[in-house]
Amino acid sequence: MADQGLLGDRHAQRLSPRQVLLAGTDVYRDLQMPSLTLRENLLIDWPTAGLPSGSLLKIGPEVVLWITFQCEPCARLEQRKPGVVKALKGRRGALARVLQGGVLRVGDAICQGPAPIPPMSNDWKDRIAHIVRRIPAGKRIGYRQLAELAGVAKGYCRAFPRVLGQLCPDVAERAQAGSVAMHAEQRWEGTELFDVHAYLAAQATHHATGGQPVTWAVSKLAEKIR
């Protein structure tokens, strides 16, 4: 589902950079892991570690995914296969948002397109700082909402003061701990962080008038899911 995730997934969130987790069959093969060890949403015959943030992946005739950042291993993976976090070496998979929805089928072709969207950092601390800098003056956001926008667990909120301490005080105070009472006009939801459709349309217009071809059309490179 566009701007949501997978139908029926309890983790589908409108304002999340991690709507879909893609894992590659190469990792399962190399590490001899049982199925679903990585807790992925989609298993694909494609090396996900090489997918750059901001790039586009088309699966089948309909679905287009926007790659946001590489997924960090978590302690839950150890319950399925002890030692897997260390063995992965940053190859758990790539996270994505759904730009164009549709039906996925086993055997659909995968096409990797260009990277027209500004990249997100794989470092969660950099993402937190970037988001807070995007908050307009006079607006505020709570830590829990900030965690969702950055794609980190709520437990990370305990470390937010240390990260925000590196920013200018007038910027850092735009993110506030706990359930902060604020008027509706002060509350910032962060929807503009993921509103890339207007951006891509502008890029397409630029290309049509002689600019570089950085539209969201995918390339002809494709592989089959086996």
CSV table of all heavy atoms in Angstrom, one decimal, residues 7-44:
chain,number,residue,atom,x,y,z
A,7,LEU,N,-0.2,-4.7,3.4
A,7,LEU,CA,-1.5,-4.9,3.9
A,7,LEU,C,-1.6,-5.9,5.0
A,7,LEU,O,-1.1,-7.0,4.8
A,7,LEU,CB,-2.4,-5.3,2.8
A,7,LEU,CG,-3.9,-5.5,3.1
A,7,LEU,CD1,-4.5,-4.2,3.6
A,7,LEU,CD2,-4.7,-6.0,1.9
A,8,GLY,N,-2.1,-5.6,6.2
A,8,GLY,CA,-2.2,-6.5,7.3
A,8,GLY,C,-1.0,-6.5,8.2
A,8,GLY,O,-1.1,-7.2,9.2
A,9,ASP,N,0.0,-5.8,7.9
A,9,ASP,CA,1.2,-5.8,8.8
A,9,ASP,C,1.0,-4.8,9.9
A,9,ASP,O,0.7,-3.6,9.7
A,9,ASP,CB,2.4,-5.3,7.9
A,9,ASP,CG,3.7,-5.3,8.8
A,9,ASP,OD1,3.7,-5.7,9.9
A,9,ASP,OD2,4.8,-4.8,8.2
A,10,ARG,N,1.1,-5.3,11.1
A,10,ARG,CA,0.8,-4.4,12.3
A,10,ARG,C,1.8,-3.3,12.4
A,10,ARG,O,1.6,-2.3,13.2
A,10,ARG,CB,0.7,-5.2,13.6
A,10,ARG,CG,2.0,-5.9,14.0
A,10,ARG,CD,1.7,-6.8,15.2
A,10,ARG,NE,2.9,-7.5,15.6
A,10,ARG,CZ,3.7,-7.0,16.6
A,10,ARG,NH1,3.4,-5.9,17.2
A,10,ARG,NH2,4.8,-7.7,17.0
A,11,HIS,N,2.9,-3.4,11.7
A,11,HIS,CA,4.0,-2.4,11.8
A,11,HIS,C,3.9,-1.3,10.7
A,11,HIS,O,4.7,-0.4,10.6
A,11,HIS,CB,5.4,-3.0,11.7
A,11,HIS,CG,5.7,-3.9,12.9
A,11,HIS,ND1,5.8,-3.4,14.2
A,11,HIS,CD2,5.9,-5.2,13.0
A,11,HIS,CE1,6.1,-4.4,15.0
A,11,HIS,NE2,6.1,-5.5,14.3
A,12,ALA,N,2.9,-1.5,9.8
A,12,ALA,CA,2.7,-0.5,8.7
A,12,ALA,C,2.4,0.9,9.3
A,12,ALA,O,1.4,1.0,10.1
A,12,ALA,CB,1.5,-0.9,7.8
A,13,GLN,N,3.2,1.9,9.0
A,13,GLN,CA,3.0,3.2,9.5
A,13,GLN,C,3.2,4.2,8.4
A,13,GLN,O,4.1,4.2,7.6
A,13,GLN,CB,4.0,3.5,10.6
A,13,GLN,CG,3.9,2.6,11.9
A,13,GLN,CD,2.7,2.9,12.7
A,13,GLN,OE1,2.2,4.0,12.6
A,13,GLN,NE2,2.3,1.9,13.5
A,14,ARG,N,2.3,5.2,8.4
A,14,ARG,CA,2.3,6.2,7.4
A,14,ARG,C,3.6,7.1,7.5
A,14,ARG,O,4.1,7.5,6.4
A,14,ARG,CB,1.1,7.1,7.5
A,14,ARG,CG,0.9,8.2,6.5
A,14,ARG,CD,-0.4,9.0,6.7
A,14,ARG,NE,-0.5,9.6,7.9
A,14,ARG,CZ,-0.1,10.9,8.2
A,14,ARG,NH1,0.4,11.6,7.2
A,14,ARG,NH2,-0.3,11.4,9.4
A,15,LEU,N,4.0,7.4,8.7
A,15,LEU,CA,5.2,8.3,8.9
A,15,LEU,C,6.4,7.5,9.4
A,15,LEU,O,7.0,7.8,10.4
A,15,LEU,CB,4.9,9.4,9.8
A,15,LEU,CG,3.7,10.3,9.4
A,15,LEU,CD1,3.5,11.4,10.4
A,15,LEU,CD2,4.1,11.0,8.0
A,16,SER,N,6.8,6.4,8.6
A,16,SER,CA,7.9,5.6,9.0
A,16,SER,C,8.8,5.4,7.8
A,16,SER,O,8.3,5.2,6.7
A,16,SER,CB,7.5,4.3,9.6
A,16,SER,OG,8.6,3.4,9.7
A,17,PRO,N,10.1,5.4,8.0
A,17,PRO,CA,11.1,5.1,6.9
A,17,PRO,C,11.3,3.6,6.7
A,17,PRO,O,12.1,3.2,5.9
A,17,PRO,CB,12.3,5.9,7.3
A,17,PRO,CG,12.3,5.8,8.8
A,17,PRO,CD,10.9,5.9,9.2
A,18,ARG,N,10.7,2.8,7.6
A,18,ARG,CA,10.9,1.4,7.6
A,18,ARG,C,9.6,0.6,7.4
A,18,ARG,O,9.3,-0.3,8.2
A,18,ARG,CB,11.7,0.9,8.8
A,18,ARG,CG,11.1,1.4,10.1
A,18,ARG,CD,12.1,1.2,11.3
A,18,ARG,NE,12.7,-0.2,11.3
A,18,ARG,CZ,13.9,-0.5,11.6
A,18,ARG,NH1,14.8,0.5,12.0
A,18,ARG,NH2,14.4,-1.7,11.6
A,19,GLN,N,8.9,0.9,6.3
A,19,GLN,CA,7.7,0.2,6.0
A,19,GLN,C,7.9,-1.2,5.5
A,19,GLN,O,7.0,-2.0,5.8
A,19,GLN,CB,6.9,1.0,5.0
A,19,GLN,CG,6.4,2.4,5.5
A,19,GLN,CD,5.7,3.2,4.4
A,19,GLN,OE1,5.8,2.9,3.2
A,19,GLN,NE2,5.0,4.3,4.8
A,20,VAL,N,9.0,-1.5,4.9
A,20,VAL,CA,9.3,-2.8,4.3
A,20,VAL,C,10.7,-3.1,4.6
A,20,VAL,O,11.6,-2.3,4.4
A,20,VAL,CB,9.0,-2.9,2.8
A,20,VAL,CG1,9.3,-4.3,2.3
A,20,VAL,CG2,7.5,-2.5,2.5
A,21,LEU,N,11.0,-4.4,5.1
A,21,LEU,CA,12.4,-4.8,5.2
A,21,LEU,C,12.6,-5.9,4.1
A,21,LEU,O,12.0,-6.9,4.1
A,21,LEU,CB,12.6,-5.4,6.6
A,21,LEU,CG,13.9,-6.1,6.8
A,21,LEU,CD1,15.1,-5.2,6.5
A,21,LEU,CD2,14.0,-6.7,8.2
A,22,LEU,N,13.6,-5.6,3.3
A,22,LEU,CA,14.0,-6.5,2.2
A,22,LEU,C,15.3,-7.2,2.7
A,22,LEU,O,16.3,-6.6,3.0
A,22,LEU,CB,14.3,-5.7,1.0
A,22,LEU,CG,13.2,-4.9,0.4
A,22,LEU,CD1,13.7,-3.8,-0.5
A,22,LEU,CD2,12.2,-5.7,-0.3
A,23,ALA,N,15.3,-8.5,2.6
A,23,ALA,CA,16.5,-9.4,2.9
A,23,ALA,C,16.9,-10.1,1.6
A,23,ALA,O,16.0,-10.5,0.8
A,23,ALA,CB,16.3,-10.3,4.0
A,24,GLY,N,18.2,-10.4,1.4
A,24,GLY,CA,18.6,-11.1,0.2
A,24,GLY,C,18.9,-12.6,0.5
A,24,GLY,O,19.3,-13.0,1.5
A,25,THR,N,18.6,-13.4,-0.6
A,25,THR,CA,18.8,-14.8,-0.4
A,25,THR,C,20.3,-15.1,-0.3
A,25,THR,O,20.7,-16.2,0.2
A,25,THR,CB,18.3,-15.5,-1.7
A,25,THR,OG1,18.8,-15.0,-2.9
A,25,THR,CG2,16.8,-15.5,-1.7
A,26,ASP,N,21.2,-14.2,-0.8
A,26,ASP,CA,22.6,-14.4,-0.7
A,26,ASP,C,23.1,-14.5,0.7
A,26,ASP,O,24.0,-15.3,1.0
A,26,ASP,CB,23.4,-13.3,-1.5
A,26,ASP,CG,23.1,-11.9,-0.9
A,26,ASP,OD1,21.9,-11.6,-0.6
A,26,ASP,OD2,24.0,-11.1,-0.8
A,27,VAL,N,22.5,-13.7,1.6
A,27,VAL,CA,22.9,-13.7,3.0
A,27,VAL,C,22.5,-15.1,3.7
A,27,VAL,O,23.2,-15.7,4.4
A,27,VAL,CB,22.3,-12.5,3.8
A,27,VAL,CG1,22.7,-12.6,5.3
A,27,VAL,CG2,22.7,-11.2,3.2
A,28,TYR,N,21.2,-15.5,3.4
A,28,TYR,CA,20.8,-16.8,3.9
A,28,TYR,C,21.7,-17.9,3.4
A,28,TYR,O,22.0,-18.8,4.2
A,28,TYR,CB,19.3,-17.0,3.5
A,28,TYR,CG,18.3,-16.4,4.4
A,28,TYR,CD1,17.8,-15.1,4.1
A,28,TYR,CD2,17.8,-17.0,5.5
A,28,TYR,CE1,16.9,-14.5,5.0
A,28,TYR,CE2,16.9,-16.5,6.4
A,28,TYR,CZ,16.5,-15.2,6.1
A,28,TYR,OH,15.6,-14.6,6.9
A,29,ARG,N,22.1,-17.8,2.2
A,29,ARG,CA,22.9,-18.9,1.6
A,29,ARG,C,24.3,-18.9,2.2
A,29,ARG,O,24.8,-19.9,2.7
A,29,ARG,CB,23.0,-18.7,0.1
A,29,ARG,CG,23.9,-19.8,-0.6
A,29,ARG,CD,24.1,-19.5,-2.1
A,29,ARG,NE,24.8,-18.2,-2.3
A,29,ARG,CZ,24.2,-17.1,-2.8
A,29,ARG,NH1,23.0,-17.1,-3.1
A,29,ARG,NH2,24.9,-16.0,-3.0
A,30,ASP,N,24.9,-17.7,2.4
A,30,ASP,CA,26.3,-17.6,2.9
A,30,ASP,C,26.4,-18.0,4.4
A,30,ASP,O,27.4,-18.6,4.8
A,30,ASP,CB,26.8,-16.1,2.7
A,30,ASP,CG,26.9,-15.7,1.3
A,30,ASP,OD1,26.9,-16.6,0.4
A,30,ASP,OD2,27.1,-14.5,1.0
A,31,LEU,N,25.3,-17.7,5.1
A,31,LEU,CA,25.4,-17.9,6.6
A,31,LEU,C,24.6,-19.2,7.0
A,31,LEU,O,24.5,-19.5,8.2
A,31,LEU,CB,24.9,-16.7,7.4
A,31,LEU,CG,25.6,-15.4,7.2
A,31,LEU,CD1,25.0,-14.3,8.0
A,31,LEU,CD2,27.1,-15.6,7.4
A,32,GLN,N,24.0,-19.9,6.0
A,32,GLN,CA,23.2,-21.1,6.3
A,32,GLN,C,22.2,-20.9,7.4
A,32,GLN,O,22.2,-21.6,8.4
A,32,GLN,CB,24.2,-22.2,6.6
A,32,GLN,CG,25.1,-22.6,5.5
A,32,GLN,CD,24.4,-23.2,4.3
A,32,GLN,OE1,23.7,-24.3,4.5
A,32,GLN,NE2,24.4,-22.6,3.2
A,33,MET,N,21.4,-19.9,7.2
A,33,MET,CA,20.4,-19.6,8.3
A,33,MET,C,19.0,-20.2,8.0
A,33,MET,O,18.6,-20.3,6.8
A,33,MET,CB,20.3,-18.1,8.4
A,33,MET,CG,21.5,-17.3,8.8
A,33,MET,SD,21.2,-15.5,9.0
A,33,MET,CE,20.7,-15.1,7.3
A,34,PRO,N,18.3,-20.5,9.0
A,34,PRO,CA,16.9,-21.0,8.9
A,34,PRO,C,16.0,-19.9,8.3
A,34,PRO,O,16.3,-18.7,8.4
A,34,PRO,CB,16.5,-21.3,10.3
A,34,PRO,CG,17.7,-21.5,11.1
A,34,PRO,CD,18.7,-20.6,10.5
A,35,SER,N,15.0,-20.2,7.6
A,35,SER,CA,14.0,-19.3,7.1
A,35,SER,C,13.6,-18.3,8.1
A,35,SER,O,13.3,-18.6,9.3
A,35,SER,CB,12.8,-20.0,6.4
A,35,SER,OG,13.2,-20.8,5.4
A,36,LEU,N,13.4,-17.0,7.7
A,36,LEU,CA,12.9,-15.9,8.5
A,36,LEU,C,13.8,-15.5,9.7
A,36,LEU,O,13.3,-14.8,10.6
A,36,LEU,CB,11.5,-16.3,9.0
A,36,LEU,CG,10.4,-16.5,7.9
A,36,LEU,CD1,9.1,-16.9,8.5
A,36,LEU,CD2,10.2,-15.2,7.0
A,37,THR,N,15.0,-16.0,9.7
A,37,THR,CA,15.9,-15.6,10.7
A,37,THR,C,16.0,-14.0,10.8
A,37,THR,O,16.1,-13.5,11.9
A,37,THR,CB,17.3,-16.2,10.5
A,37,THR,OG1,17.2,-17.6,10.5
A,37,THR,CG2,18.3,-15.7,11.6
A,38,LEU,N,16.0,-13.4,9.7
A,38,LEU,CA,16.2,-11.9,9.6
A,38,LEU,C,14.9,-11.1,9.8
A,38,LEU,O,14.9,-9.9,9.8
A,38,LEU,CB,16.9,-11.5,8.3
A,38,LEU,CG,18.2,-12.1,8.0
A,38,LEU,CD1,18.8,-11.7,6.7
A,38,LEU,CD2,19.2,-11.8,9.2
A,39,ARG,N,13.8,-11.8,10.0
A,39,ARG,CA,12.5,-11.2,10.3
A,39,ARG,C,12.1,-10.3,9.1
A,39,ARG,O,11.5,-9.2,9.4
A,39,ARG,CB,12.5,-10.5,11.6
A,39,ARG,CG,12.8,-11.4,12.8
A,39,ARG,CD,13.1,-10.6,14.0
A,39,ARG,NE,12.1,-9.6,14.4
A,39,ARG,CZ,11.0,-9.9,15.2
A,39,ARG,NH1,10.9,-11.1,15.6
A,39,ARG,NH2,10.1,-9.0,15.4
A,40,GLU,N,12.4,-10.6,7.9
A,40,GLU,CA,12.2,-9.7,6.8
A,40,GLU,C,10.7,-9.8,6.3
A,40,GLU,O,10.0,-10.8,6.6
A,40,GLU,CB,13.1,-10.1,5.6
A,40,GLU,CG,12.7,-11.4,4.9
A,40,GLU,CD,13.3,-12.6,5.5
A,40,GLU,OE1,14.0,-12.5,6.6
A,40,GLU,OE2,13.1,-13.8,5.0
A,41,ASN,N,10.3,-8.8,5.6
A,41,ASN,CA,9.0,-8.8,5.0
A,41,ASN,C,9.0,-9.4,3.6
A,41,ASN,O,8.1,-10.1,3.2
A,41,ASN,CB,8.4,-7.4,4.8
A,41,ASN,CG,8.3,-6.6,6.1
A,41,ASN,OD1,8.9,-5.6,6.3
A,41,ASN,ND2,7.4,-7.1,7.0
A,42,LEU,N,10.1,-9.2,2.9
A,42,LEU,CA,10.3,-9.7,1.5
A,42,LEU,C,11.7,-10.3,1.4
A,42,LEU,O,12.7,-9.7,1.7
A,42,LEU,CB,10.1,-8.6,0.5
A,42,LEU,CG,8.7,-8.0,0.4
A,42,LEU,CD1,8.8,-6.8,-0.7
A,42,LEU,CD2,7.7,-9.0,0.0
A,43,LEU,N,11.8,-11.5,0.8
A,43,LEU,CA,13.0,-12.2,0.6
A,43,LEU,C,13.2,-12.1,-1.0
A,43,LEU,O,12.4,-12.6,-1.7
A,43,LEU,CB,13.0,-13.6,1.0
A,43,LEU,CG,14.3,-14.4,0.9
A,43,LEU,CD1,15.4,-13.8,1.7
A,43,LEU,CD2,14.1,-15.9,1.2
A,44,ILE,N,14.4,-11.5,-1.4
A,44,ILE,CA,14.6,-11.3,-2.8
A,44,ILE,C,15.9,-11.9,-3.2
A,44,ILE,O,16.9,-11.9,-2.4
A,44,ILE,CB,14.5,-9.8,-3.2
A,44,ILE,CG1,15.5,-9.0,-2.5
A,44,ILE,CG2,13.1,-9.3,-2.9
A,44,ILE,CD1,15.6,-7.5,-2.9
